Amino acid sequence: MLRTQVAIIGAGPAGLLLGQLLHRAGIGTIILEQRSKDYVLARIRAGVLEQGAVGLIEEAGASARMRQEGLVHDGTEIAFGGVRYRIDFQALTGKTVMVYGQTEVTRDLMDAREAVGAPTVYEALDVTIHAADTDRPSVRYRKDGHETDIACDFVAGCDGFHGVSRQTIPEHALRTYERVYPFGWLGILVDKPPLSDELVYVNHERGFALCSMRSATRSRYYLQCGLDEHLDDWPDDKFWEELRRRLDPEAVARLQTGPAIEKSIAPLRSFVAEPMRFGRLFLAGDAAHIVPPTGAKGLNLAASDVAYLSRAFVEWYQRNSMAGLDTYPRRALARVWKAERFSWWMTQILHRFPESSGFDGKLQAAELDYLFGSKAAQTVLAENYVGLPY
Ligand SMILES: Cc1cc2nc3c(=O)[nH]c(=O)nc-3n(C[C@H](O)[C@H](O)[C@H](O)COP(=O)(O)OP(=O)(O)OC[C@H]3O[C@@H](n4cnc5c(N)ncnc54)[C@H](O)[C@@H]3O)c2cc1C
């Protein structure tokens, strides 16, 4: 039987960031990750960091490479009716966002954890959580055929949407809210410079598109696609051809194409599980909530949950106060729901919905027209995009 203070399940951004912040506060953790380190590092996901997330990565002592290689973005562009409009985050809010891939964030946090010798068990299989509603919770896992139990004070469920933590909570103690959207995003990663210095969101009659990036030499492009479509239906040439159809002529002229180094389809979903706590088990990140990626909020929400949760653990261990842990669900969920609202709204105004009527289309056009013409509306978008305070 091993012992630690906080057993963390999942070595995604939430688990790794929590582990590092707790380590720096002198709190012992063991992270259990079901996949190998290489597998976790090969996953291509988010890429836009709010200032709050950047600050936390700094606090975790893992920001050196991000500061060197990350791209600071002052604004973004939205294209509609063949015209591009710019939303100037810096002018409207005094804040910016940082483009730095989730894979890189994960690698930096893994390196920081290894440098201080804090334990992570990769390929920890069949993780189960026991006695979470008592003062003596424990976690069990299997590795190389051997079972190990970890006694702990608390369990942090940072194991994503399909993890075991949320599933451990009895049905009567959990309430879930969900919206599944009638489309997905087909994404391509390519080693070519992006077509613009900033992200370009496109609302086109053939569907949504996004021109994003991971660095000055690596671009990420997305197309709205049907839920019944498969990667085999989308050879690279077809992807580029369809993207060109959805872009304005200047963007097409600047688009540099090449062989995809990664291609994937992600369905879009909004999901929240309340109350993010069961006794001494606390959920953080995708384990508790999912947003459609349109507002670039998934990774950032994982970071804000971890900010609340890490401070609450520090309060317990340094001042013997449960106040932070008791109020964690309320504080985290207040921010989660605002990000859910923003991500839903961005999805609503930028995608073509198959069931949409003529009336819906007119409302969407009016919404965008209002946004492009109103500083107040642009400020609302900018304030949410750069991230609400926590
Ligand atoms: C395909 C995809 C594309 C995305 N693209 C974007 C994007 O473009 N923009 C954006 O903002 N967000 C995006 N997201 C969302 C963003 O990546 C997530 O919000 C973010 O990864 C959340 O971090 P997390 O640590 O909570 O969860 P995760 O990153 O999912 O990490 C959870 C970890 O727990 C591990 N785990 C799971 N089950 C167990 C178990 N039983 N035992 C032990 N370990 C377990 C997993 O292997 C994983 O390493 C995307 C998500 C996906 C799935």
Side-chain angles (χ1 to χ4, degrees):
M1 169 86 85
L2 300 175
R3 161 133 202 105
T4 191
Q5 289 174 304
V6 182
I8 299 175
I9 306 179
L16 289 164
L17 189 57
L18 180 65
Q20 205 53 20
L21 291 170
L22 294 186
H23 171 81
R24 286 167 83 90
I27 299 167
T29 61
I30 297 177
I31 297 183
L32 299 179
E33 165 59 50
Q34 70 175 359
R35 303 289 192 173
S36 69
K37 183 177 171 184
D38 288 345
Y39 182 96
V40 174
L41 284 173
R43 286 191 303 226
I44 303 299
R45 291 183 171 179
V48 178
L49 302 177
E50 297 172 354
Q51 272 187 12
V54 169
L56 280 176
I57 293 166
E58 206 143 75
E59 213 179 302
S63 63
R65 202 161 63 95
M66 175 184 72
R67 285 288 177 205
Q68 273 179 0
E69 297 176 15
L71 306 172
V72 174
H73 281 199
D74 292 344
T76 193
E77 289 186 301
I78 297 180
F80 181 59
V83 182
R84 266 191 265 163
Y85 300 84
R86 182 162 187 269
I87 311 288
D88 191 332
F89 304 148
Q90 175 73 47
L92 292 162
T93 68
K95 293 184 183 165
T96 57
V97 291
M98 168 88 78
V99 169
Y100 190 62
Q102 176 169 336
T103 313
E104 309 311 319
V105 173
T106 306
R107 183 184 296 282
D108 295 347
L109 287 167
M110 282 176 172
D111 288 351
R113 187 166 177 84
E114 274 170 29
V116 296
T120 305
V121 183
Y122 291 99
E123 296 176 270
L125 302 179
D126 300 336
V127 172
T128 47
I129 302 166
H130 304 272
D133 53 347
T134 72
D135 288 349
R136 292 165 189 270
S138 66
V139 173
R140 179 175 300 160
Y141 69 95
R142 189 167 54 80
K143 166 119 182 155
D144 300 332
H146 299 289
E147 278 201 338
T148 305
D149 287 293
I150 305 175
C152 53
D153 301 331
F154 301 99
V155 180
C158 302
D159 47 354
F161 185 64
H162 300 287
V164 68
S165 300
R166 194 181 67 254
Q167 290 166 26
T168 299
I169 302 177
E171 242 174 64
H172 67 80
L174 198 71
R175 187 139 187 218
T176 60
Y177 303 84
E178 185 171 36
R179 167 155 304 177
V180 177
Y181 298 88
F183 40 72
W185 277 18
L186 168 66
I188 266 194
L189 191 68
V190 62
D191 269 331
K192 291 286 177 188
L195 65 76
S196 169
D197 291 340
E198 295 178 341
L199 271 64
V200 183
Y201 288 86
V202 183
N203 177 329
H204 188 271
E205 61 195 19
R206 295 181 65 88
F208 169 82
L210 173 61
C211 308
S212 183
M213 67 200 72
R214 291 293 178 269
S215 71
T217 55
R218 182 167 282 189
S219 303
R220 180 81 165 149
Y221 294 100
Y222 294 100
L223 291 174
Q224 175 182 346
C225 66
L227 285 176
D228 53 350
E229 297 194 56
H230 302 280
L231 287 179
D232 295 344
D233 304 331
W234 285 95
D236 293 1
D237 287 350
K238 184 175 166 191
F239 182 96
W240 297 122
E241 194 184 311
E242 181 59 32
L243 180 62
R244 282 192 194 94
R245 286 198 183 124
R246 300 186 192 186
L247 298 180
D248 59 82
E250 193 210 327
V252 171
R254 293 177 61 98
L255 176 67
Q256 294 191 41
T257 64
I261 52 173
E262 194 266 359
K263 201 187 284 174
S264 53
I265 293 181
L268 266 62
R269 179 198 304 270
S270 299
F271 174 86
V272 181
E274 296 190 351
M276 294 178 73
R277 174 189 185 176
F278 178 64
R280 289 193 162 222
L281 164 63
F282 293 86
L283 303 182
D286 278 17
H289 41 72
I290 296 286
V291 285
T294 328
K297 288 285 162 257
L299 172 58
N300 291 301
L301 269 189
S304 60
D305 286 354
V306 165
Y308 293 125
L309 191 55
S310 59
R311 288 170 201 153
F313 280 137
V314 171
E315 206 175 309
W316 165 253
Y317 284 108
Q318 291 184 355
R319 286 186 265 137
N320 207 20
S321 164
M322 275 297 273
L325 288 167
D326 286 340
T327 56
Y328 166 71
R330 179 175 56 72
R331 289 178 299 136
L333 281 165
R335 192 172 190 281
V336 164
W337 274 111
K338 290 186 191 97
E340 290 283 346
R341 184 206 70 81
F342 177 66
S343 305
W344 161 84
W345 176 77
M346 286 282 280
T347 305
Q348 202 73 22
I349 63 166
L350 292 173
H351 291 76
R352 295 298 168 119
F353 285 70
E355 77 277 17
S356 149
S357 66
F359 183 81
D360 297 329
K362 286 286 185 188
L363 278 188
Q364 192 186 59
E367 180 100 49
L368 286 164
D369 193 33
Y370 174 58
L371 175 66
F372 301 143
S374 160
K375 189 176 172 191
Q378 289 172 24
T379 306
V380 171
L381 189 156
E383 179 173 75
N384 282 274
Y385 199 94
V386 300
L388 298 175
Y390 53 89

